[in-house]
């Protein structure tokens, strides 16, 4: 009985891992909100010093919410999929909510919480479960989010 349950759990884990891989690859191959916009309200460049991969964000703000966001990036599957997902998740959100999202995602990646920590619209980020607590890969996933957070700080400082 024990081995049956363990085997079933292992099958479920492998299945989830396949689904997560598919989600990441889909965002990598078909990145959402790709490009740069003219005259954004703020712009932020981020670099992963470990590999030199880059991300450039341009953001339009309206009434303290992200009205539009575009990303130009070069890098690994993880960083690019993360950037693509991020653009979908932050559109329409208050800048302060976006800053909270960055923290929630970071906590998920470096903490012991399961995917349950990512509720509602953040659910898709559970596709990064396989890289939890792997510092190099966590930095890849956080690259666009840190750039967004820094951009938000700069924006608040200027306005
Ligand atoms: Fe460069 Fe992932 S290897 S951001």
């Amino acid at each position: 009985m024990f081995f049956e349950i363990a085997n079933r759990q292992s099958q479920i884990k492998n299945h989830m891992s396949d689904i997560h891989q598919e989600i990441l690859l889909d965002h990598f191959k078909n990145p959402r909100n790709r490009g740069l916009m003219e005259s954004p309200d703020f712009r932020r460049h981020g670099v992963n010093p470990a590999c030199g991969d880059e991300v450039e964000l341009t953001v339009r703000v309206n009434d303290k919410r992200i009205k539009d966001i575009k990303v130009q990036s070069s890098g690994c599957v993880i960083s690019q999929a993360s950037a693509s997902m991020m653009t979908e998740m932050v559109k329409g959100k208050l800048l302060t909510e976006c800053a909270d999202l960055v923290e929630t995602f970071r906590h998920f990646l470096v903490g012991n919480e399961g995917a349950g920590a990512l509720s509602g619209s953040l659910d898709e980020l559970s596709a990064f479960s396989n890289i939890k607590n792997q510092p190099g890969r966590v930095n890849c996933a956080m690259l666009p989010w840190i750039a967004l957070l820094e951009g938000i700080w700069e924006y608040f400082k200027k306005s």
Side-chain angles (χ1 to χ4, degrees), residues 48 51 53 76 79 140 143:
N48 182 343
C51 60
D53 289 341
C76 62
S79 66
C140 298
L143 176 62

Side-chain angles (χ1 to χ4, degrees), residues 30-83:
N30 311 293
R32 305 352 176 223
N33 303 300
R34 189 92 175 146
L36 297 172
M37 68 179 72
E38 301 262 319
S39 313
D41 290 300
F42 70 85
R43 183 180 191 120
R44 189 74 194 183
H45 183 239
V47 181
N48 182 343
C51 60
D53 289 341
E54 296 176 290
V55 62
E56 181 90 19
L57 307 177
T58 48
V59 181
R60 181 103 56 233
V61 179
N62 185 26
D63 207 12
K64 297 184 183 158
R65 288 179 189 275
I66 292 188
K67 187 177 175 212
D68 198 9
I69 178 167
K70 295 239 179 272
V71 178
Q72 189 85 41
S73 61
S74 65
C76 62
V77 172
I78 293 169
S79 66
Q80 302 221 40
S82 182

